[in-house]
Amino acid sequence: MIDQSDILAALRWHVDIGCDEAIGDEPLDWATLAARPAVARAPAGASALPPAATRPAPAPASRSAFGGPSGASMFGAAVTADLPLGASEAGASARARAAEARSLEELESALRAFDGCPLKATAMNTVFADGNPSAEIMLIGEAPGEDEDRQGKPFVGVSGKLLDRMLAQIGLDRSKVYISNILPWRPPGNRSPTQAEIAACLPFLERHVELIGPKVLVPLGGTSAKTLLNRAEGITRLRGRWFDYASPGLTGPVPVLPMLHPAYLLRNPIAKREAWRDLLTLRQRFPG
């Protein structure tokens, strides 16, 4: 009989490593799924292939999105269809799909059909955007949290409520701004996204900005600011300063004002003073 304390200890361990919710009724042994049968080595001097007469004829190969057979990579090695795309291939695929989108609806459909980011497999929903697509101000966060993942909208949890209160202090609400994220899928346990995950999803965000064409971009938090501006400084150095964001699909550079993420303000209430100064800076330059 299993000791109750052992069960509780196992549950605590899963929570500690970020497994905070179940996505299936039965556990899945990923080690077994990842196992591949060993390839037998041919004796020295012997051909690794059977005689041509006994070899089965190869099946016709379909063409992949990269111009080659669907089962072959650019390096000539076989790639199974159920494995995630490599980082470079995922980025190239995302850029091609995003460039084809001529509207927000087409972009959202392309994003939902994209399988180049492994986060999609563990998320409940694709979180695309919220607010007014015609707004002059576009806010960009990092990634969805638990509440956002459940509801399919950005900034609807505790940090989202704080964001709404912050916007209200300068006469704004979700009917006057547009909100999205660097990543459309929640990282497990709300961990920080990896560079590969950001690179796979970034082309969709870049096209998102081009389609909205805002007059000002407001990245919320360090990940969003560093990604948009391609800078290494942390958010405490970037916040409250004006930068420019350029993209081929925009008519000109867009002013960027990085701000502290509402989740950071919840953990560090003393930083709300800086956040208030940044809100006033935004309101002074774009009175609406």
Side-chain angles (χ1 to χ4, degrees), residues 36-55:
R36 295 289 188 269
V39 178
R41 294 182 178 273
S47 172
L49 295 175
T54 62
R55 292 203 302 266

Side-chain angles (χ1 to χ4, degrees), residues 36 64 66 69-86 89:
R36 295 289 188 269
S64 72
F66 300 99
S70 60
S73 73
M74 66 180 70
F75 304 107
V79 178
T80 55
D82 59 335
L83 292 177
L85 293 174
E89 291 180 342

